[in-house]
Amino acid sequence: MPQDVRPSSTAGRAGDFPPFRQRHLISIADLAQHEIVDLLDRAERMIAVSRQERKSLPTLSGKTQINLFFEPSTRTQSSFEIAGKRLGALVVNMSVKTSSVSKGETLIDTAATLNAMRPDVLVVRHAAAGAVELLSQKVGCSVVNAGDGAHEHPTQALLDALTIRNHKGTLAGLTVAICGDIANSRVARSNLLLLGALNVRTRVIAPRTLLPAGIESLASEVYTDMEKGLEGADVVMMLRLQHERASGKMIPSVREYYRFYGLDAARLRHAKPDAIVMHPGPMNRGVEIDPAIADGERSVITDQVEMGVAVRMAVLDALLPPRNEQ
Amino acid sequence: MMRPLLIENARIVDPASGTDQPGAVLVEDGRIGDLALGGPVGVPDGAEILDAGGHVLAPGLIDMRVFVGEPGKEYRETLASAGAAAVAGGVTSFVMMPDTAPAVDDGALVDFLIRRAEAQSPARILPAAAITRGLAGREITEFGLLKEAGAVCLTDGAQSIQSSALLRGAMAYAANFDMPFVHHVADAALVGDGVMNEGLFATVLGLKGIPREAETIPLARDLQLAALTGVRYHAAQVSTGGSVALLAAAKSGNGKVTAGVSINNLCLNENDVGRYRTYFKLNPPLRTEEDRRAVVEGLRSGAIDTIHSDHDPQDSEVKRQPFAEASNGAIGLETLLAAALRLVHSGDVDLLTVLRAMTSRPAAILGLDTGRIARGAPADLILVDLDYPWQVTERDLRSRSRNTSFEGARMQGKVLRTIVSGRTVFTHEE
């Protein structure tokens, strides 16, 4: 881990990194491989910043970041908030309650209103796929997608990749098994795109009802048998099951789901002995994962949270370079 | 009394008779007075003479599926604006869907629409009547009274009736009055929250998909019930290769079955959705290129009878939304012919077949005397430059709404003049 970051210099930000060419971060699909690696390398430096006593860099000082969450999410919102504040930005949180009829109206109206306040970056989460992209077309600042429906959650994929890289030393050549509700998961989509771009072997494991059409084109391998899918995996990534929504339709019951797709010690033995266990949170202990595994020594779930802040610092820093400041 | 009009030096293309040859047409008293193929035509004194310049003279188009906002949503489209858009696109008659507020489920409304359209619209507007009251899919409407009032067919418009028992009763009762029964097929439960074609593309966008079976399953049911009841059944619009196969099989045993296809499903596919472009959010959804080719082949083979615009004006308020929350529909009256000519220029379908699907076939299905160039028929005619190059720009469109699925598209072929009942209602200006 790099230890050479000086807290009050710009070296931590600009350093040796070339300018980041994207204005927004809407989806992993928009990023070239070198841009993904660039963001991971930038995030690497931010880990060190967060581990210092003075956890700050001045790179976003004078800038305004608005966290606009149409869907509640305590952990993602606070992660972005801490990231912005550690870089010196003025961070404003807005949670927008939406009624089902006026969702879109609120979106466009809110975009226009917020845009007039001249923010430098909007961090947006919305329940509808494509909503963040739509909003990015209506504002004059950078936009970061903090999750749009079942489409993408790019910073989650970046923090997952950073976590894996730090535990395994590298990404290329690894086998990552993603298990659970693939059909409704933006985390799965972003991860499949990112890992695919970095030559990681990806597997998805789920009952057929939770596998979306065409998934075989997105993942290297598709499994409905969890034990087979875990065989030889370096990383086991569990997804949250929206069991209130799925029960009775996509799966008969939580207990049957756990019986066949829950991660417990016996199943985990099918993966490599040094395999790590990940989860984007919030976890349903006893639904998709045995508490003993979730809190056990193979779990890197709290590391993911730490990497989350670093990745979001890196993204904000990359998207908001200083403009010709003398 | 209008002056007689002689259109000479034309390439007369009349799908009803299979004609495609040079000739002249004499229009008198709103009807086709004489038709001369090759030979001379008698010119009455004082006739206006129009040199067609060798361009195609065809019957005016009949569009079987158009949504209008009047009454109830006049800000989207009025009878007048829809009529103006229609004649600019060469559409001289269109069937107006009953999806208005209130729905056209009562004879008095049909009567109102006919009178108002006559006063306001340069194109003939043919009201369709709802199959069920309020388009709610529960109780059937007064088919007999609606027919007497002038409704040309029965349809629940964008709605699909889910109950097989209700459909059976409605079809049998429609057969009683010999009313064309036009039904949009969609299994509501299989469509579910779906907003585009099911497949890899929807998965990548994180959008819920609509499986093809949401169309083929209710279509198979409808075709069986049509045979059972003897109704004149018209599948409003199909979008999949599976539907084409079902139709081909049904037609071999039941001469009363016909089917339509939207120009969008003939010319576009799911990739046009791009990054959440809501003007391409349609019902039925744009399918794969394989399906598009299958419906084009269905048109060629005769499994599909008619092409319509599925003109569906929506304002920006309901279109500038996240994809899943946006309304369905695209306007299409002004681009219908040019888009259909793409199939001709690409060599996929010949000109007579394409025009037949928008003239004599809909006329036969609806029992109209238009859609053909024959002595005594109403003089609904279009003069078309098949090769005229132009680009679709939304600000030039006459519809009150702007949601065209062909924005920016380069087209080849344009209507130069549109004649309804012998009267020129549209002339192309350079």
Side-chain angles (χ1 to χ4, degrees), chain A residues 44-62:
Chain A
E44 196 71 54
R45 300 219 179 171
M46 295 301 182
I47 300 170
V49 174
S50 289
R51 286 178 181 175
Q52 292 163 174
E53 199 174 331
R54 272 185 67 85
K55 302 174 173 52
S56 68
L57 280 179
T59 62
L60 294 193
S61 98

Side-chain angles (χ1 to χ4, degrees), chain B residues 10-35:
Chain B
R11 174 182 166 192
I12 295 180
V13 179
D14 177 45
S17 57
T19 302
D20 182 354
Q21 63 184 95
V25 165
L26 178 67
V27 174
E28 281 181 309
D29 300 330
R31 292 186 174 268
I32 293 168
D34 202 0
L35 166 66

Side-chain angles (χ1 to χ4, degrees), chain B residues 16 252 257 391:
Chain B
S252 67
V257 165
Q391 190 170 14

